[in-house]
Amino acid sequence: MGKGVKQISNHEPSYTIPCTFSVDEYMLHEELKTHVHKLCCNIGERNYLCPDKLVGAAAYNEAYFKDYGYAVERQAYTVANMTFYNVIAEVRGSSRPEEIII
């Protein structure tokens, strides 16, 4: 692998990215990979046909936000006579607090 290029997989890389991350950006990158892996690989498919997985994903996300000190809201929705919850945490910006980014 050439200088300035980072392999982003333990397998043979299908692509590479330039290694231009700051330390904070790299740590964020690694943390995001961990969350995506948890949701996609450990919890897996999430829909009303797999209600336990939807509940597990909501619990995982809620715990994550609470661990970082965010106030968490749950927004209920019903599908096929079953109630599920969106997990909501808000971080209001300082320069443009009226804007919402999802």
Side-chain angles (χ1 to χ4, degrees), residues 44-100:
E45 180 179 4
R46 299 170 307 278
N47 60 53
Y48 79 98
L49 298 174
C50 307
D52 292 343
K53 292 182 179 186
L54 270 178
V55 170
Y60 172 77
N61 287 322
E62 185 172 3
Y64 170 79
F65 289 135
K66 285 182 175 179
D67 285 349
Y68 275 84
Y70 298 120
V72 177
E73 294 178 43
R74 287 179 159 221
Q75 179 187 55
Y77 64 96
T78 303
V79 177
N81 292 318
M82 294 180 282
T83 301
F84 301 101
Y85 298 91
N86 289 318
V87 177
I88 302 167
E90 181 179 330
V91 179
R92 196 167 288 271
S94 57
S95 63
R96 293 183 288 201
E98 71 284 354
E99 291 187 4
I100 298 173

